[in-house]
Amino acid sequence: MRWLLPLLLLPCKLFAQNSSARERAEKYYAMGIEYRQGSLKSQLYLDSSIIVDPTFAKGWHEKSVPYLKNGDFITWKPLIDKAVALAPNIHLGTRGWCAFSFLHDYETAIADITALETLLQGYLPSSGNGMYPLRMILGLSYREIGNETLAISTMEKSIASGNRGLYDYLHLAVTYMQVGQWDKARIALEQSIAGYPGLAENYYYLGKYQLQQHNIAAARTSFEKAKNCYLHEFHFIDPYVTPLDAVALEEIEEAIEKLK
Amino acid sequence: MKRYAIVSFVVVAFLLLNCIVCSAQSKVPHPRTVNDLPIDSTVRAKDENFIFQYYNIDTHVTGGIHYIRKTYHKNYIPVLENTQQGFITLRFLINANGETGRFYVTGMDRHYRPLTFDAHITTQIIAIAKGLQGWQPGMYMNEKRDSYYYLVFKMENGYIKDIVP
């Protein structure tokens, strides 16, 4: 019951400090994130932060995070909605990116990211984990709902903006392949390989391209290289989710097997 | 000062109530972390006091989501008369030996509101998950540990349209 201590101290702290509600919320927030995310202590401190200052968007957001990561989206949603309502320029992109990543809820992702784009007058920052420009997430969402044309123009605009993610050219190449623009797919794959030469997915999709070109020997070499990269270098990975266009080792092995 | 007294009273009352509700939810030691699953007889955890989340320690299944999707594609029979749309989350425990249990289903519609899906769907989803093989428990301090995992099924008219994460 040691965690009861902060509760008992709470009134003392409130009386002792002649600080604003926001400053007290920040203090409780700082205490909350010192504990394991989602733990009782952490959540209680975060509860305190939003009770002393209900307009503290950062507290609402942080309280929502463990529910998201644990797949409790029913609890996550009203909490993140509160953060979005209080600070849309910060949390709209987060909500859209999370809906995209954790649920493949492309409709919510598109609605949130386009609303953010309007709010920021055309600018879009990167996703919360820094891996993706939000415009790439928007492009991928368009692709997944079947609007490949808008997907490609959005991805091209994202790359042209200079705000680059590690996998931009890979996603663009896969999208070109889906609509049969094979020459553009090859060029995008070459750019992806130039930027990230040890990535297994680059060679898996290059092998797919070469198969389409009936270059079986080159495809076999590419799939073998993909397997080697997967086992000894890099593959597309995220600790929480399986990213779009990521390839499993078993898929690479199946591709090799088919060419035997 | 009076306002501070009222605020502090509300805060303490709220937090104490929170504690009472939490402690009443299940037997010791739950819930230490949000979304802990109630202890049952389906699987024994190595350490009930500290169950990780899959992403903390890289708990995974051999073949990844590719294997999971293939298994559901092969075994799930669509419920053709169903018209429900939304998401089903299946949360479960993978213990330090790679055994699974404590399967817990929640459903929600496309607006993230609770939705109870047809039992013909959810019973299949649980049964197929119980048959998944090759769970690799994550490691912490060179030791295999228990962790929670979840799968989300994107449902449309009785069909599984997608499985994440």
Side-chain angles (χ1 to χ4, degrees):
Chain A
M1 299 298 274
R2 276 180 301 165
W3 51 268
L4 266 175
L5 188 62
L7 309 185
L8 299 173
L9 291 176
L10 192 62
C12 309
K13 287 188 178 187
L14 288 173
F15 282 118
Q17 294 169 4
N18 188 22
S19 53
S20 70
R22 179 54 52 92
E23 285 169 339
R24 292 199 303 281
E26 287 279 7
K27 283 179 185 172
Y28 286 124
Y29 175 89
M31 288 190 269
I33 61 173
E34 279 181 16
Y35 293 97
R36 189 160 62 102
Q37 195 173 56
S39 67
L40 184 59
K41 283 182 193 172
S42 174
Q43 292 295 91
L44 286 172
Y45 276 122
L46 293 172
D47 282 345
S48 302
S49 79
I50 54 183
I51 288 171
V52 296
D53 183 358
T55 67
F56 186 50
K58 206 162 73 169
W60 289 101
H61 168 255
E62 190 60 33
K63 183 174 164 61
S64 80
V65 174
Y67 297 107
L68 170 82
K69 291 181 177 178
N70 295 349
D72 181 359
F73 305 105
I74 294 172
T75 308
W76 169 71
K77 187 63 167 36
L79 296 169
I80 190 69
D81 285 353
K82 190 79 184 176
V84 169
L86 291 166
N89 55 339
I90 296 170
H91 296 294
L92 255 174
T94 305
R95 188 174 65 186
W97 164 62
C98 292
F100 168 90
S101 298
F102 286 83
L103 282 163
H104 289 185
D105 177 4
Y106 305 115
E107 290 78 10
T108 296
I110 291 168
D112 281 352
I113 297 171
T114 51
L116 182 65
E117 186 183 26
T118 304
L119 197 67
L120 300 182
Q121 298 175 323
Y123 171 73
L124 281 175
S126 292
S127 62
N129 64 357
M131 269 177 62
Y132 277 100
L134 283 177
R135 199 175 300 283
M136 279 305 289
I137 299 281
L138 185 60
L140 285 166
S141 299
Y142 286 135
R143 185 184 86 184
E144 294 302 309
I145 62 166
N147 192 341
E148 287 92 351
T149 306
L150 188 53
I152 287 171
S153 63
T154 305
M155 289 180 191
E156 288 174 338
K157 186 177 175 184
S158 180
I159 291 171
S161 76
N163 181 16
R164 300 277 174 83
L166 272 178
Y167 308 103
D168 290 358
Y169 283 112
L170 177 74
H171 291 309
L172 182 60
V174 174
T175 312
Y176 281 139
M177 290 168 80
Q178 288 179 356
V179 294
Q181 295 187 26
W182 295 97
D183 286 342
K184 285 188 171 181
R186 176 183 51 78
I187 292 166
L189 279 173
E190 286 168 357
Q191 287 167 309
S192 187
I193 290 169
Y196 204 165
L199 183 70
E201 279 78 1
N202 281 336
Y203 303 102
Y204 175 80
Y205 289 107
L206 182 62
K208 290 274 185 187
Y209 162 79
Q210 288 158 337
L211 271 185
Q212 197 278 335
Q213 302 292 308
H214 307 293
N215 193 343
I216 306 300
R220 188 178 290 120
T221 304
S222 293
F223 290 140
E224 291 288 356
K225 190 159 184 178
K227 183 176 179 180
N228 189 55
C229 285
Y230 193 101
L231 293 173
H232 304 296
E233 294 191 63
F234 307 106
H235 61 279
F236 197 174
I237 196 164
D238 180 303
Y240 301 103
V241 298
T242 306
L244 289 181
D245 301 334
V247 176
L249 180 61
E250 289 71 14
E251 286 177 278
I252 300 170
E253 289 174 335
E254 283 167 18
I256 293 170
E257 197 60 34
K258 278 184 187 168
L259 294 183
K260 282 184 178 170
Chain B
M1 260 340 231
K2 190 178 175 186
R3 193 166 67 89
Y4 284 143
I6 294 168
V7 169
S8 61
F9 174 78
V10 171
V11 169
V12 172
F14 175 82
L15 295 176
L16 285 174
L17 182 65
N18 204 344
C19 303
I20 292 163
V21 170
C22 288
S23 61
Q25 277 179 345
S26 60
K27 292 175 185 174
V28 176
H30 287 284
R32 298 199 172 213
T33 309
V34 298
N35 307 120
D36 273 357
L37 295 173
I39 298 170
D40 66 19
S41 59
T42 57
V43 67
R44 185 185 292 269
K46 181 177 180 177
D47 182 1
E48 290 290 357
N49 292 313
F50 203 126
I51 297 177
F52 289 83
Q53 310 298 330
Y54 70 96
Y55 51 82
N56 296 140
I57 54 174
D58 191 28
T59 301
H60 62 278
V61 66
T62 304
I65 199 73
H66 176 63
Y67 159 68
I68 292 172
R69 285 176 182 151
K70 265 174 63 174
T71 305
Y72 274 90
H73 183 71
K74 185 178 168 189
N75 295 297
Y76 178 79
I77 301 166
V79 180
L80 298 178
E81 66 275 20
N82 186 271
T83 56
Q84 292 174 305
Q85 319 268 335
F87 304 87
I88 294 172
T89 301
L90 178 64
R91 187 165 162 80
F92 53 98
L93 176 73
I94 301 161
N95 75 6
N97 299 323
E99 299 158 337
T100 57
R102 302 183 193 175
F103 290 90
Y104 184 77
V105 167
T106 48
M108 65 178 189
D109 66 14
R110 285 178 166 179
H111 303 287
Y112 300 73
R113 294 177 299 217
L115 174 66
T116 303
F117 276 86
D118 188 326
H120 292 100
I121 295 172
T122 51
T123 50
Q124 283 195 77
I125 280 175
I126 294 171
I128 296 167
K130 285 179 177 175
L132 293 169
Q133 302 292 316
W135 288 106
Q136 307 298 319
M139 305 277 286
Y140 181 69
M141 307 282 276
N142 294 320
E143 199 182 327
K144 289 181 180 177
R145 298 295 296 262
D146 312 302
S147 57
Y148 292 115
Y149 199 91
Y150 74 87
L151 295 169
V152 179
F153 300 84
K154 205 170 174 179
M155 303 302 304
E156 210 172 287
N157 300 327
Y159 284 86
I160 297 174
K161 302 300 286 184
D162 199 356
I163 305 177
V164 273

